[in-house]
């Protein structure tokens, strides 16, 4: 078996962070760790919010959702997720004009993030005042992308898919491009 030279593996990262999460939920306080009350964990909602957006038109589009419909569905999801009456209010809760935003996409040929979704996100970011020069969409070049290097916020977007090891490939796996090896 080959030794890992980088010092941390994906499995080690997941084991360590899940142990930290379980320890935090159990109320363990370690050296330098804030208690749940001090870190305001007790103020978090007890349930997660899941938003489902459906459109009959999406199913009629011969395997591809049109850009306008996809943008509308994104905004409907954002407003529902952040409980605002309009999508602009939801986006402005998460981003400010001072932000530098990296949109971490996925260009894997078999299940690429739709370019129209990337453009919809870019459009909404500019709608809250983020400068076009402070927004980058990238996948494999994120470690060398100047916008990502100075980003104050990131949008992690990729299609959900099955995965032969974990059962499901989601946004956590999309972050692998930030690791050198």
């Amino acid at each position: 078996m080959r030794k890992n030279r980088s010092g941390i593996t994906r499995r080690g990262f997941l084991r360590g962070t899940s142990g930290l999460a379980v320890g935090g939920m159990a109320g363990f306080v370690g050296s330098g760790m804030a208690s749940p009350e001090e870190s305001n964990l007790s103020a978090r909602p007890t349930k997660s919010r899941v938003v489902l957006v459906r459109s009959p038109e999406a199913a009629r589009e011969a395997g591809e959702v049109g850009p306008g419909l996809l943008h509308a569905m994104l905004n409907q999801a954002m407003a529902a997720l952040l409980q605002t009456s309009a999508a602009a209010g939801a986006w402005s809760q998460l981003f400010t004009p001072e932000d530098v935003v990296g949109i971490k996409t996925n260009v894997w040929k078999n299940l690429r993030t739709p370019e129209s979704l990337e453009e919809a996100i870019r459009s909404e970011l500019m709608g809250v005042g983020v400068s076009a020069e402070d927004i980058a969409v990238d996948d494999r070049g994120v470690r060398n992308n100047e916008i990502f290097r100075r980003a104050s916020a990131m949008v992690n977007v990729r299609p959900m898919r099955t995965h032969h090891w974990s059962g499901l490939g989601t946004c956590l796996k999309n972050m692998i491009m930030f690791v050198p090896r």
Side-chain angles (χ1 to χ4, degrees):
M1 189 167 161
R2 187 171 61 102
K3 280 192 168 188
N4 185 325
R5 294 184 194 148
S6 68
I8 189 167
T9 63
R10 279 186 280 171
R11 181 174 291 158
F13 172 76
L14 290 172
R15 185 178 294 137
T17 55
S18 62
L20 183 62
V22 169
M25 289 188 308
F28 296 122
V29 179
S31 60
M33 259 193 201
S35 70
E37 293 78 23
E38 293 170 323
S39 65
N40 202 21
L41 288 175
S42 59
R44 291 189 177 167
T46 56
K47 293 183 179 181
S48 297
R49 180 175 313 282
V50 176
V51 175
L52 175 62
V53 177
R54 292 183 178 173
S55 171
E57 291 81 29
R60 295 186 193 126
E61 300 260 351
E64 189 171 315
V65 179
L69 179 58
L70 186 59
H71 196 149
M73 292 174 76
L74 170 68
N75 279 339
Q76 183 183 353
M78 290 293 291
L81 181 66
L82 294 170
Q83 299 179 311
T84 61
S85 58
W91 288 98
S92 64
Q93 283 184 42
L94 300 175
F95 303 96
T96 68
E98 294 78 31
D99 277 320
V100 176
V101 184
I103 302 171
K104 174 58 177 81
T105 191
N106 191 279
V107 297
W108 184 53
K109 65 180 177 181
N110 297 320
L111 193 59
R112 187 193 195 295
T113 302
E115 290 180 41
S116 57
L117 180 58
E118 297 165 356
E119 282 306 311
I121 294 167
R122 178 188 293 273
S123 171
E124 293 301 326
L125 291 169
M126 289 189 295
V128 297
V130 178
S131 167
E133 293 79 32
D134 288 332
I135 301 170
V137 178
D138 204 346
D139 180 14
R140 296 180 179 146
V142 293
R143 292 183 57 241
N144 297 318
N145 187 311
E146 190 54 40
I147 300 294
F148 277 82
R149 290 176 157 283
R150 59 185 183 91
S152 59
M154 185 166 28
V155 178
N156 186 6
V157 58
R158 66 153 298 154
M160 188 179 294
R161 67 182 186 95
T162 60
H163 190 277
H164 66 284
W165 288 350
S166 63
L168 184 65
T170 59
C171 287
L172 178 61
K173 188 174 181 296
N174 200 34
M175 304 307 283
I176 197 168
M177 299 316 282
F178 288 97
V179 179
R181 287 176 20 111

